[in-house]
Amino acid sequence: MRIARFSTGEGVTFGVVEGGPGEEFVSAITGHPFGEVQFTGERYPLSQVKLLAPMLPSKVVAIGRNYAEHARELGNEVPDEPLIFMKPSTSVIGHGEAIAYPTSLSHRVDYEGELAVVIGRLCREVPVERVKDVIFGYTCANDVTARDLQKRDVQFTRAKSFDTFCPLGPWIRTDLDPSDLALTTTVNGEVRQSGRTSQLIHDIPALVAYVSAVMTLIPGDVILTGTPAGVGPVEIGDEVSVGIEGIGTLTNKVVARD
């Protein structure tokens, strides 16, 4: 099932995306999608609604250097344990919204296509064997990074936290095996990243167990699982797309913030 959060111009609601390419529509549901899905009976062509970030998480927990080739391309060692950092909820935007390049503060902004895990239940200290019980679904993410600031600061907070630096979408896929999915990032249609989730150093059960041992996760929280090799800069006017097999494609254009 594909769960979307969308606006019709008269309000924001959740819905289930149905239909094939070019004929997709969204069926509105009542309340929040974490419980039993109940349809309102309202249906809209997907082309006539505005897709929003599929969730508004209380926190985005990201994992660094979780693909060996990506760690090496930036001259880093592969960590023995998952490397955790955070992105604020204010960095989240949806499919089709603009990534704002902070030109007065950074001169190197990079894309990082990733698989994102959306948590569906309040949980803490989740055993690896029970991780599936707390996952709501999966979506595409772009861990946008001011690379020059990351190198200057050493720690990641400022480089990862600008408003618009966490595109998520276009929707959440709830019925998906994430263990071996193709992930592709393109800039202006040119492939820049091509990897598979089977290349993750620490897999999704291990990541959720590790993060939940540190902090309580609540429904809607997002874990970014890491980016494959091929990260690189974007410029104002570029269009960046992150596509993941079985989910869809998240596309955002880069504009000047200042």
Side-chain angles (χ1 to χ4, degrees):
M1 186 160 49
R2 294 176 291 174
I3 300 291
R5 180 170 160 267
F6 67 97
S7 170
T8 62
E10 298 180 355
V12 174
T13 190
F14 288 95
V16 176
V17 178
E18 302 174 271
E23 299 180 350
E24 292 165 312
F25 60 91
V26 58
S27 298
I29 62 175
T30 59
H32 212 278
F34 292 128
E36 182 180 352
V37 171
Q38 295 184 332
F39 293 96
T40 66
E42 297 175 302
R43 300 194 343 172
Y44 307 91
L46 190 62
S47 60
Q48 295 182 16
V49 303
K50 177 179 173 56
L51 290 175
L52 306 173
M55 283 291 162
L56 294 177
S58 76
K59 53 187 172 290
V60 177
V61 185
I63 309 297
R65 304 171 192 168
N66 202 25
Y67 286 79
E69 288 299 319
H70 168 61
R72 284 192 281 268
E73 76 177 343
L74 295 183
N76 297 311
E77 297 293 328
V78 175
D80 293 331
E81 296 180 303
L83 174 62
I84 295 177
F85 61 92
M86 307 285 286
K87 294 174 80 80
S89 59
T90 48
S91 67
V92 173
I93 58 173
H95 172 76
E97 295 186 79
I99 297 168
Y101 196 128
T103 53
S104 66
L105 295 173
S106 173
H107 302 290
R108 169 70 186 262
V109 171
D110 284 11
Y111 56 82
E112 294 189 12
E114 309 199 10
L115 173 69
V117 179
V118 181
I119 298 299
R121 294 175 55 183
L122 182 72
C123 60
R124 181 169 62 91
E125 298 179 350
V126 183
V128 168
E129 61 272 15
R130 292 192 57 199
V131 164
K132 286 185 178 180
D133 297 338
V134 305
I135 292 177
F136 178 67
Y138 306 90
T139 192
C140 306
N142 188 349
D143 176 22
V144 183
T145 304
R147 192 71 68 199
D148 52 349
L149 300 186
Q150 183 184 21
K151 291 179 179 178
R152 187 187 311 167
D153 294 351
V154 181
Q155 55 84 33
F156 296 177
T157 302
R158 181 166 65 138
K160 302 281 191 175
S161 296
F162 286 96
D163 292 354
T164 75
F165 270 28
C166 189
L168 297 174
W171 41 63
I172 299 168
R173 185 70 183 262
T174 61
D175 51 346
L176 186 69
D177 178 356
S179 59
D180 186 28
L181 303 175
L183 187 159
T184 303
T185 303
T186 66
V187 178
N188 302 325
E190 179 184 344
V191 175
R192 300 290 180 84
Q193 290 182 289
S194 181
R196 302 196 69 89
T197 56
S198 55
Q199 298 169 328
L200 288 168
I201 298 167
H202 305 286
D203 64 14
I204 289 168
L207 294 179
V208 176
Y210 188 87
V211 172
S212 69
V214 177
M215 64 191 78
T216 298
L217 299 171
I218 68 173
D221 281 353
V222 169
I223 298 176
L224 307 186
T225 58
T227 194
V231 300
V234 292
E235 304 295 338
I236 294 167
D238 284 348
E239 185 175 81
V240 185
S241 295
V242 179
I244 300 179
E245 180 182 4
I247 299 176
T249 302
L250 166 69
T251 298
N252 303 90
K253 192 168 184 178
V254 182
V255 302
R257 171 178 172 173
D258 305 309

